[in-house]
Amino acid sequence: EGVGLQLKGILETMATAYLQKAYSRISKAMVSDLWTNHAYAGDYNPLHEHTTNTAAGLSGFMWLKMPEEMEERRLNKANHRVNFGDSDGQYDGWTHMCWGLGSKTDLYNLKLGSEEYVQPEVGTLYVFPKWLHHQVMPFFGAGERRSIAMNWDVIQSQQELQSIMSPNEFNSFISNVPEDH
């Protein structure tokens, strides 16, 4: 229980700082869910987004353990060549993040990219808005791919709410908040 509360405190402090630095929000992030994912050969996680108890929310994950061959591929990535005609294994176990529709040809038309494949690295933590679609590609080989994932509710300060709502919206919102809150 003590270590869990310490982890919760660290994650909340970090996500609150993320809100302030990335979005200039006067808000607080509170961990609402925390779980581990254990994947083995052939496992994958289909395209999805996360939910929180609040309209605004954050999600994140951190890799804890990689199968040996995935770790070797990461360490030798400078020597790894991508052959798109035979890309089998290139993205095994990677996380695919997608924030819009498009294709690679959009880049030639000066349209910004809207997806990224993220190679797992033990100890790397990603934080993103809960609406960001993502999926984990399957991998094949021995071993376990383990991660911890989390969601944060975003609690807006009164100052933040007043900055994003009209006076009528804010008064309506406040009138619906129970007195004990």
Side-chain angles (χ1 to χ4, degrees):
E1 187 176 287
V3 173
L5 290 176
Q6 287 177 348
L7 177 60
K8 182 179 183 286
I10 290 167
L11 290 172
E12 288 177 349
T13 299
M14 186 259 329
T16 297
Y18 172 80
L19 286 169
Q20 293 169 355
K21 300 246 184 241
Y23 294 97
S24 300
R25 287 286 179 108
I26 306 167
S27 306
K28 180 177 173 140
M30 296 179 62
V31 172
S32 58
D33 300 296
L34 184 70
W35 66 96
T36 58
N37 296 300
H38 304 264
Y40 302 92
D43 287 349
Y44 68 97
N45 198 335
L47 191 64
H48 65 282
E49 60 185 27
H50 289 218
T51 60
T52 58
N53 299 309
T54 56
L58 297 173
S59 296
F61 60 86
M62 182 171 73
W63 294 289
L64 303 175
K65 181 179 181 180
M66 287 296 121
E68 195 173 302
E69 68 184 69
M70 283 179 68
E71 187 62 19
E72 284 176 22
R73 191 177 301 129
R74 185 188 67 78
L75 293 172
N76 293 317
K77 68 181 171 185
N79 299 324
H80 184 74
R81 291 179 171 245
V82 178
N83 177 354
F84 287 104
D86 183 22
S87 63
D88 188 38
Q90 171 64 24
Y91 296 113
D92 283 4
W94 289 30
T95 300
H96 175 227
M97 304 179 102
C98 183
W99 54 92
L101 299 175
S103 68
K104 290 286 185 190
T105 59
D106 289 338
L107 298 174
Y108 300 113
N109 296 322
L110 304 179
K111 186 175 174 187
L112 296 175
S114 58
E115 67 179 336
E116 186 68 44
Y117 284 88
V118 180
Q119 185 176 27
E121 183 173 356
V122 171
T124 299
L125 173 71
Y126 279 83
V127 178
F128 47 90
K130 70 177 184 179
W131 55 259
L132 183 74
H133 287 87
H134 56 286
Q135 64 185 333
V136 178
M137 308 308 288
F139 71 91
F140 301 93
E144 176 187 10
R145 180 188 182 279
R146 184 183 312 148
S147 64
I148 187 169
M150 66 286 304
N151 292 322
W152 294 268
D153 291 337
V154 174
I155 310 303
Q156 311 285 6
S157 67
Q158 182 173 331
Q159 183 180 355
E160 185 66 41
L161 289 172
Q162 286 176 308
S163 75
I164 61 176
M165 293 180 175
S166 72
N168 286 342
E169 288 172 322
F170 180 75
N171 290 334
S172 176
F173 176 81
I174 293 299
S175 70
N176 288 308
V177 175
E179 287 187 31
D180 61 344
H181 284 75

